[in-house]
Amino acid sequence: SFMRTDLMRSELREELANYLLNHCFVIGNLDSTREKYYLITNNEEELQTIFRPLGYSIVINRTLRVAQLVNLHEWGRVEFQKYETILLLILRLLYVEKRETLSVSEQLVTVTVEEVEAEYNKLNLPRKLDRRTLETALRTFKKYNLAIAIDRLEHPSARIQVLSSIMLALPEQTITKAYTQTREYLLQYERAGSNSAAEELSDD
């Protein structure tokens, strides 16, 4: 590729290293990060030598076209709040469904606020999904290149772009645990058939 160099300029190397530390994910299918993705893939070994002594590794998923910075000791992992984790799972679920049913290119997977709310409401959680919770979560997701609000989130038809990195954002055991918990919540509600279960589900 025309971008391959024997050694990257030191300021470019610093810029890429800082970007990875601050954002975790770099997406090859996103206009704003495409160039960074190719610079990382073309200079992977050089960047690995910067991160290796710090206990980090760059993992490149070429199928999803995502470069990810992973801490080998699980330090510095982003801790999502409970409702952010739930919303992340919902976006992931919708992403998978859309990828299977639509013949869309990966950078064009969009979901609406209405679709997110519909999935959220199925969980019958004690707290309703208000716009502030959704906006706060999406600010976090945008920072880490996981999802981006395309429209202002005021209307049910407002669109959210879900990025392929959503598939890598939660460690597998977290995903399994969250799905299991979700199923348990639903069972509690079915058994209770009333509001009594809601009282048991206070925030962690």
Side-chain angles (χ1 to χ4, degrees), residues 61 87 149 182:
N61 186 312
L87 286 167
T182 303

Side-chain angles (χ1 to χ4, degrees), residues 136-186:
T136 306
L138 275 161
R139 265 199 299 277
T140 305
F141 300 161
K142 183 182 180 181
K143 182 188 175 183
Y144 295 109
N145 289 327
L146 296 166
I148 299 163
I150 298 171
D151 308 311
R152 289 174 68 103
L153 302 172
E154 289 162 8
H155 199 270
S157 63
R159 295 161 302 156
I160 298 161
Q161 183 176 10
V162 186
L163 304 170
S164 50
S165 48
I166 202 98
M167 298 304 291
L168 309 171
L170 292 164
E172 279 308 315
Q173 71 265 29
T174 308
I175 292 159
T176 313
K177 192 177 149 201
Y179 278 122
T180 310
Q181 267 187 342
T182 303
R183 275 201 292 274
E184 280 168 14
Y185 286 169
L186 287 169

Side-chain angles (χ1 to χ4, degrees), residues 79-92:
E79 288 294 326
F80 289 116
Q81 291 170 357
K82 176 180 167 182
Y83 282 88
E84 287 177 335
T85 305
I86 290 166
L87 286 167
L88 201 62
L89 280 161
I90 288 170
L91 289 177
R92 185 188 161 107

Side-chain angles (χ1 to χ4, degrees), residues 18 41 52 82 116 123-124:
N18 277 311
T41 54
R52 214 171 273 129
K82 176 180 167 182
V116 173
L123 301 179
N124 284 318

Side-chain angles (χ1 to χ4, degrees), residues 5-28:
T5 53
D6 290 331
L7 277 174
M8 296 167 75
R9 295 194 321 279
S10 62
E11 63 269 31
L12 183 58
R13 206 167 43 226
E14 274 178 36
E15 187 196 324
L16 279 174
N18 277 311
Y19 189 89
L20 277 163
L21 281 166
N22 287 321
H23 300 277
C24 298
F25 295 102
V26 178
I27 320 289

Side-chain angles (χ1 to χ4, degrees), residues 3 16 19-20 25-44 47 58-68 164:
M3 283 183 184
L16 279 174
Y19 189 89
L20 277 163
F25 295 102
V26 178
I27 320 289
N29 288 333
L30 194 64
D31 287 347
S32 58
T33 58
R34 183 177 285 116
E35 192 180 347
K36 285 183 178 68
Y37 173 80
Y38 284 111
L39 282 166
I40 291 163
T41 54
N42 290 336
N43 298 279
E44 184 186 351
L47 286 164
I58 296 167
V59 177
I60 296 169
N61 186 312
R62 285 180 168 80
T63 311
L64 295 172
R65 291 177 82 194
V66 176
Q68 179 184 10
S164 50

